[in-house]
Amino acid sequence: MKGKLSPFMYQSVSFAIWMLIYYLSGLVSLQFDDPSLDFSIVWFPAGVATAAFLCAPWRQWPAFLLGFVVVNLFLSTNPAESFLLNLLFAVLSMPSTMAIAWIVRRFSREGDDLHQIMMWLVATVLISVVDALVLSSGLRFFRNEAFSSTFWPGLIADVTGILFATTVIMGFLNNHLRTETMHRNVMIAGCFVWVLLVLITAWIFSDSVKYITDAFYLHRYDILRFAAACIPIMLTVALAIIWGNRGGSFALLTLGAIVIWFSMQKMGPFFIKGLKTGEPLLIAQCYLTATALLMVFIRVLTRGAQRLDNRTGVQSARDAIYQLNLTTGELYWDHTLDVLDDITIGELTDKDKMLARIHPDDREKFQRQWNDIGHVHQLPTISFRFKDNHGRWVTITDSGNVLINNQSQPVIVGNWRISGTTTFG
């Protein structure tokens, strides 16, 4: 259709957007540079790269790896170093994010959101420990820096960057928490909550709480500031419930921007007397990371609640059985998934129209599933992204068998199941 991007152009634009996000997140992270460490104490590009590898098809991983390495060279904070040394550190920053994404995609149980979250958390911590060990050893060898002074900051930079940035990005990419179109009242309520989030967070982190303590002659200023820091978290969660995943990511991004801005100005409830240099920023990182993890688990719980049938209170059907006659091309469905309910019968029984709803990156393997069967009796299990009538990409797992009917015609009897590969969104 005229005006639509070809698969190659779509992939090119998508790749360029990922590189831009990676670069911009790197610029933000560099604002947290510790002059004594030669690297940032938080590295958001690690989370961007993890999200990219979680979303990208396997065959695109080499291109993303090369692209991220090149961007890392542009973000290098040590231009005086040799090119080979900068290249070495640019390459060493990538295996950890690839390993985390590979573990999550390879070992997560389909349909088990909580298992996927736990796999992501465990992989992030363990792989980040290994990555910090490699980085600290490299800095010790090449620059003779103390191992203990680089290991812990490097570990915290990776973990916080991955947990926060991955949560934000996957929430924007996958809008599954709300399935219906937002009504005007919902939009207004969300806007009201967002404005409150901006005003209250800015008020708290600009140290304006002090005016209340002074007015009422209170002497527990630090305690009041810490307590007030919980209010933005509640507003962030509220916006996620009202506007869905993307609203939650927007709220989390808003909260992060305000907290980072005032933290860079050495303002906010985490800058209190008695803390050493760098410790307030560390507390701010933990604050944002804890909020991001809370958002992830709320998404899991909310999605689980949406899967319950309102009439029976039990889990809704997550499978659809189909029959495809390979000789006549006729396609029949015994029952369908809820994401197919709004699609007309004409589209559900037309193989070409169904193919048009498959994500451009997944069409080739989907066509192989229904065309190149050869003499196999059991088809391989594949996952692909399917576009519903709300414009969302739903990940579906397809498995089936090739049978011969009484007219000696090959028939595929298969099963579609909504998989749990988009939990972070």
Side-chain angles (χ1 to χ4, degrees):
M1 182 181 296
K2 185 177 180 180
K4 283 191 175 181
L5 293 176
S6 65
F8 174 77
M9 287 299 298
Y10 177 87
Q11 294 170 10
S12 299
V13 172
S14 176
F15 179 82
I17 293 175
W18 278 112
M19 295 302 113
L20 179 61
I21 296 174
Y22 188 89
Y23 179 73
L24 294 177
S25 65
L27 292 180
V28 173
S29 299
L30 291 178
Q31 302 304 312
F32 291 90
D33 261 351
D34 188 333
S36 64
L37 292 176
D38 289 334
F39 60 83
S40 176
I41 62 175
V42 60
W43 191 241
F44 294 122
V48 177
T50 301
F53 288 123
L54 283 170
C55 297
W58 298 108
R59 67 177 183 276
Q60 293 183 7
W61 277 36
F64 275 90
L65 173 60
L66 178 61
F68 289 142
V69 169
V70 172
V71 176
N72 281 338
L73 290 175
F74 282 103
L75 291 171
S76 174
T77 57
N78 295 286
E81 298 280 7
S82 67
F83 173 78
L84 290 179
L85 191 57
N86 283 330
L87 178 62
L88 174 63
F89 283 109
V91 172
L92 288 178
S93 66
M94 298 313 304
S96 60
T97 60
M98 298 176 68
I100 293 170
W102 183 83
I103 290 173
V104 173
R105 293 177 63 164
R106 175 65 178 82
F107 296 105
S108 294
R109 291 198 295 259
E110 293 180 1
D112 192 338
D113 294 342
L114 185 59
H115 181 266
Q116 186 184 36
I117 293 297
M118 297 308 299
M119 186 69 66
W120 173 58
L121 292 176
V122 172
T124 296
V125 174
L126 294 182
I127 298 300
S128 295
V129 168
V130 176
D131 183 59
L133 287 172
V134 173
L135 175 64
S136 301
S137 300
L139 292 174
R140 172 65 178 172
F141 179 79
F142 289 106
R143 300 174 184 169
N144 199 31
E145 295 187 11
F147 181 87
S148 59
S149 65
T150 57
F151 172 77
W152 290 110
L155 173 62
I156 294 172
D158 276 349
V159 172
T160 56
I162 291 173
L163 295 184
F164 183 80
T166 303
T167 302
V168 171
I169 292 175
M170 298 304 286
F172 277 122
L173 291 178
N174 303 290
N175 189 24
H176 291 276
L177 194 142
R178 292 189 65 86
T179 58
E180 71 276 6
T181 303
M182 283 193 287
H183 299 293
R184 180 182 178 183
N185 291 340
V186 175
M187 287 293 298
I188 294 175
C191 290
F192 177 73
V193 172
W194 182 77
V195 171
L196 281 180
L197 173 64
V198 173
L199 295 177
I200 292 178
T201 306
W203 179 70
I204 293 171
F205 281 83
S206 64
D207 293 335
S208 298
V209 179
K210 184 177 182 180
Y211 295 117
I212 294 182
T213 60
D214 292 342
F216 291 94
Y217 302 99
L218 299 176
H219 303 289
R220 298 185 178 274
Y221 173 47
D222 292 333
I223 296 178
L224 183 60
R225 286 199 303 172
F226 267 102
C230 297
I231 300 176
I233 298 178
M234 293 186 289
L235 292 173
T236 301
V237 172
L239 193 57
I241 296 174
I242 295 172
W243 275 359
N245 279 1
R246 291 175 183 169
S249 288
F250 183 58
L252 192 58
L253 188 61
T254 301
L255 175 65
I258 297 174
V259 171
I260 290 172
W261 169 259
F262 284 107
S263 296
M264 290 170 56
Q265 311 303 318
K266 296 184 178 181
M267 301 173 65
F270 309 128
F271 286 85
I272 57 179
K273 296 179 180 179
L275 294 181
K276 298 180 180 178
T277 302
E279 289 182 347
L281 288 177
L282 176 61
I283 298 175
Q285 290 175 232
C286 295
Y287 173 80
L288 293 177
T289 303
T291 306
L293 290 177
L294 176 62
M295 296 289 289
V296 170
F297 283 102
I298 286 177
R299 290 172 182 177
V300 174
L301 294 174
T302 306
R303 187 179 305 178
Q306 285 187 337
R307 291 175 181 172
L308 298 178
D309 189 296
N310 293 329
R311 295 169 298 177
T312 64
V314 299
Q315 194 83 351
S316 301
R318 306 283 290 168
D319 297 89
I321 308 299
Y322 68 86
Q323 298 180 47
L324 173 63
N325 190 311
L326 296 175
T327 302
T328 64
E330 296 175 334
L331 180 63
Y332 301 98
W333 296 86
D334 289 347
H335 59 83
T336 61
L337 297 166
D338 52 359
V339 298
L340 306 179
D341 288 342
D342 297 331
I343 302 176
T344 63
I345 296 296
E347 284 190 270
L348 288 177
T349 56
D350 189 312
K351 188 171 66 172
D352 293 331
K353 291 182 179 180
M354 292 289 288
L355 182 63
R357 288 181 173 270
I358 306 299
H359 194 282
D361 294 341
D362 300 334
R363 285 175 187 167
E364 183 179 347
K365 66 178 178 181
F366 184 81
Q367 285 179 301
R368 288 199 304 267
Q369 182 81 341
W370 280 6
N371 292 339
D372 304 331
I373 62 168
H375 298 287
V376 301
H377 295 287
Q378 184 172 3
L379 297 177
T381 299
I382 64 170
S383 293
F384 58 89
R385 284 159 291 181
F386 183 86
K387 192 173 186 179
D388 66 7
N389 274 359
H390 297 285
R392 300 166 305 169
W393 293 109
V394 180
T395 302
I396 293 177
T397 299
D398 181 16
S399 59
N401 295 284
V402 180
L403 307 176
I404 304 297
N405 64 11
N406 53 12
Q407 283 89 27
S408 299
Q409 296 175 337
V411 175
I412 296 179
V413 177
N415 176 77
W416 278 15
R417 180 177 180 84
I418 297 178
S419 61
T421 58
T422 53
T423 297
F424 300 110

